Amino acid sequence: MKLALIGLHLNKIIKIKFLIKSMIWLSVLLIIYIFIRDQVVYDSKYFDTYILYYVISFFSLLVWLYISRVNKSNQIKFIMVFFSLLFCIYFVEIFLNFFIDDIGMNNKDSSRIKIADNLGVKFDKRSRLEVIREHNNKAEDVVPTALAINFVDKSLSSGILPLSGLSNKRTLHCNESGEYVYYDSDRYGFNNPDIEWDNSNKKGSYLLLGDSFTHGACVNEDQTVASRIRHYSNGKTAISLGNGGSGLLLMLATLKEYGKLANPKYTLIMYFEEGNSRLRHENNNKFLKQYLVERNFTQNLPNRQRERDVYIQSFIDTSLEKERVEEIGKDSILKTLLKIIKLFHVRKLISMDSLLVSDGRRVLVDDSFASIIVETKRYAESISNDNILYFVYMPEYSRYIDKDIDHDLFRNKKKIISIIKSLGIPVIDIHHEVFEKHPEPLALFPFKRGGHYNAEGYKLVADTIVKEVEKMFSAK
């Protein structure tokens, strides 16, 4: 009786049919908005994340269509429950926005900071922009890293696709262990001592292709995988062509531009297992795809250093200015309102954007995977007859959170390694050789939180690579 009276009162205030139709159209608009963000703005780069939003929006549409067909009494009941729940969610969002300061930060960063505080470890909480600004105020020439992935979408219009950062610069990298790390980039903009290029004719040199793990994030210059390989291999040359965010196609491009200059004996594909999801985005770029479909395609980047650096510097200046504008307006009323409407803090709190991405069992092997590996092998062997290509499988943090996980199925590891072995390429399985044997795998990540490996993790990876390469070489 009481519910009927409330429903009657509600019906007088608003038109139930109008409200339901409005929610149907709102669901449709939400689907369109998600599609535009996914396919137009990000060119399906984050499709694995947007799947969840597609599911929610389509489910919402179906529910409201169903509600439009039930009797008025049930419609009123549903509307009351729905808006009560919505009110509670937005109450939590508003609370988080105004009373919890660090929830808007990267969840990994905020958890590391809390752990560091508990351990009494000082953690630099400055933003990248603040660090660069302080260096500029001291007239110190320091630049942030520039990632090839950021240039991919601009390559068709610019006519150039840089595959590394600014050359010969003190470069600000990242902070996961409490302090920002820096490196002096080499003549081509990679994280190596420049002299390594002069020593590349040494017998038995290593060449590393990869993403941020190969780039050396977020450890000191002498703690990267390439640096540790130099140490463990009795002074052999090790050149890293790693650049954060690079998938296999960008690795192939980098090999074709700089591989012959490195003159390697051992070429390593440092494959981070989350990297397969990047291939979809890379394959959509016609400029980058030329490295795969045209055997002799090259931008001749080593001889376009000045042009390349001018372009990268312009990009960095624009990016820093954008960050400055965002910093000024980060507390504006409009931006705060938009965050609340989008449930920014609630989504961060429950890590909604990574719910599907973190479930590696749902990740498929891209169709182009094998063809890119085949072309990488062909080109590596064309550098010299005795150059050997190795595939180094690098595991991610989320693999070790669930102790009951099937390690063969996760990220399709077994299938990927099977493909590599079928192509006659030796595999160095870092999960099996390092993490699986370690008493506490999470201890190889900063503060045992997601991100890159810490210095100890990189050290064990490098040690394993050298031992496995020498073992395989001796066997041959």
Side-chain angles (χ1 to χ4, degrees):
M1 182 70 178
K2 198 172 185 180
L3 186 62
L5 289 173
I6 295 172
L8 184 63
H9 185 61
L10 181 65
N11 195 30
K12 288 180 180 180
I13 297 173
I14 57 173
K15 295 292 185 182
I16 299 299
K17 287 186 177 180
F18 174 78
L19 178 59
I20 293 174
K21 285 182 179 179
S22 297
M23 294 307 297
I24 291 172
W25 280 110
L26 186 62
S27 299
V28 172
L29 290 174
L30 183 61
I31 293 170
I32 295 171
Y33 172 76
I34 293 169
F35 178 81
I36 292 173
R37 294 279 294 178
D38 173 33
Q39 298 295 322
V40 179
V41 177
Y42 293 116
D43 194 22
S44 75
K45 179 182 177 182
Y46 302 112
F47 178 73
D48 291 336
T49 297
Y50 277 105
I51 287 176
L52 185 57
Y53 294 101
Y54 281 122
V55 171
I56 292 172
S57 56
F58 274 107
F59 179 74
S60 173
L61 177 60
L62 292 174
V63 167
W64 285 108
L65 286 172
Y66 171 76
I67 294 301
S68 69
R69 293 179 170 273
V70 302
N71 61 58
K72 184 169 287 187
S73 175
N74 287 332
Q75 288 177 342
I76 291 172
K77 289 178 184 178
F78 178 82
I79 289 171
M80 290 177 65
V81 172
F82 175 80
F83 281 101
S84 296
L85 181 60
L86 194 64
F87 173 82
C88 292
I89 293 173
Y90 272 103
F91 178 82
V92 173
E93 172 65 27
I94 292 169
F95 174 80
L96 292 174
N97 184 77
F98 290 106
F99 296 101
I100 308 297
D101 292 333
D102 64 355
I103 197 68
M105 298 175 62
N106 181 297
N107 284 359
K108 295 174 185 175
D109 290 341
S110 60
S111 64
R112 289 191 197 105
I113 291 171
K114 289 177 181 176
I115 295 171
D117 288 342
N118 292 335
L119 295 174
V121 177
K122 186 178 179 181
F123 201 104
D124 192 340
K125 301 176 185 178
R126 293 175 299 168
S127 68
R128 181 182 78 154
L129 180 63
E130 289 171 328
V131 176
I132 293 291
R133 184 186 293 140
E134 288 186 21
H135 284 295
N136 290 341
N137 291 339
K138 297 176 184 178
E140 297 172 344
D141 189 13
V142 175
V143 299
T145 53
L147 306 181
I149 192 68
N150 294 328
F151 302 117
V152 168
D153 293 333
K154 301 175 177 63
S155 56
L156 285 173
S157 57
S158 65
I160 187 171
L161 173 56
L163 299 171
S164 58
L166 285 171
S167 60
N168 300 311
K169 288 285 187 179
R170 186 65 176 165
T171 304
L172 174 68
H173 207 170
C174 48
N175 173 17
E176 289 184 351
S177 298
E179 295 183 356
Y180 277 96
V181 296
Y182 301 78
Y183 64 87
D184 293 312
S185 62
D186 62 28
R187 67 191 68 175
Y188 300 119
F190 296 100
N191 184 4
N192 301 291
D194 192 67
I195 196 172
E196 289 298 296
W197 292 98
D198 297 324
N199 295 334
S200 61
N201 287 323
K202 282 185 178 180
K203 186 177 180 180
S205 60
Y206 287 80
L207 179 66
L208 285 68
L209 309 171
D211 60 4
S212 53
F213 286 77
T214 311
H215 196 160
C218 295
V219 295
N220 294 320
E221 290 176 275
D222 61 347
Q223 297 171 327
T224 67
V225 174
S227 179
R228 300 306 301 179
I229 286 177
R230 293 178 204 120
H231 172 77
Y232 287 122
S233 62
N234 298 318
K236 288 180 181 177
T237 300
I239 293 178
S240 167
L241 298 184
N243 190 261
S246 295
L248 287 172
L249 193 50
L250 276 171
M251 293 183 209
L252 173 61
T254 308
L255 174 65
K256 287 192 172 184
E257 293 291 344
Y258 300 99
K260 289 184 178 179
L261 296 172
N263 191 31
K265 169 69 176 178
Y266 313 110
T267 298
L268 312 176
I269 298 176
M270 307 289 287
Y271 177 80
F272 177 57
E273 61 184 345
E274 194 183 32
N276 187 55
S277 60
R278 300 168 186 158
L279 273 180
R280 185 185 297 108
H281 177 61
E282 293 181 350
N283 280 324
N284 286 339
N285 185 270
K286 294 180 181 179
F287 189 96
L288 182 58
K289 198 70 177 287
Q290 292 175 96
Y291 283 102
L292 177 62
V293 298
E294 298 179 27
R295 282 193 169 189
N296 298 320
F297 175 77
T298 178
Q299 297 181 73
N300 196 23
L301 288 179
N303 296 319
R304 299 172 68 185
Q305 278 301 110
R306 188 175 181 282
E307 177 188 358
R308 195 192 67 95
D309 280 352
V310 168
Y311 179 72
I312 294 174
Q313 185 64 63
S314 175
F315 172 82
I316 289 174
D317 292 342
T318 301
S319 298
L320 290 176
E321 177 60 21
K322 183 179 178 181
E323 288 182 32
R324 187 188 69 80
V325 171
E326 288 178 350
E327 182 183 62
I328 293 172
K330 68 179 180 181
D331 297 320
S332 68
I333 295 175
L334 178 60
K335 192 160 188 176
T336 299
L337 184 60
L338 286 173
K339 277 189 172 183
I340 291 173
I341 292 172
K342 293 180 178 181
L343 296 172
F344 175 82
H345 295 86
V346 170
R347 289 187 291 117
K348 283 287 183 181
L349 185 65
I350 64 176
S351 300
M352 183 174 170
D353 290 343
S354 60
L355 286 176
L356 284 184
V357 176
S358 63
D359 188 353
R361 286 162 290 193
R362 305 187 186 195
V363 176
L364 301 177
V365 179
D366 193 276
D367 292 339
S368 66
F369 179 90
S371 58
I372 294 174
I373 295 295
V374 168
E375 178 60 11
T376 302
K377 184 175 186 287
R378 182 199 69 79
Y379 189 84
E381 292 174 348
S382 75
I383 295 175
S384 65
N385 292 330
D386 59 350
N387 182 24
I388 305 172
L389 180 68
Y390 292 85
F391 187 89
V392 183
Y393 193 96
M394 309 271 283
E396 64 172 291
Y397 172 83
S398 57
R399 175 180 284 277
Y400 305 104
I401 298 175
D402 183 359
K403 292 183 179 180
D404 296 323
I405 199 169
D406 187 322
H407 287 291
D408 286 336
L409 293 180
F410 188 85
R411 294 288 184 193
N412 264 314
K413 176 176 177 286
K414 184 177 182 180
K415 181 176 181 179
I416 286 173
I417 289 180
S418 175
I419 292 172
I420 298 301
K421 288 183 175 179
S422 71
L423 297 174
I425 299 171
V427 174
I428 301 175
D429 185 350
I430 297 301
H431 160 68
H432 176 69
E433 298 296 336
V434 176
F435 286 84
E436 194 173 49
K437 297 178 180 178
H438 198 277
E440 193 176 5
L442 295 181
L444 301 180
F445 297 87
F447 299 105
K448 300 181 182 180
R449 288 297 181 267
H452 301 90
Y453 307 153
N454 56 22
E456 179 64 16
Y458 284 124
K459 177 182 176 182
L460 293 174
V461 169
D463 181 38
T464 300
I465 288 172
V466 172
K467 287 179 179 178
E468 290 299 310
V469 165
E470 290 181 351
K471 186 195 301 182
M472 293 178 188
F473 186 73
S474 298
K476 289 185 177 182

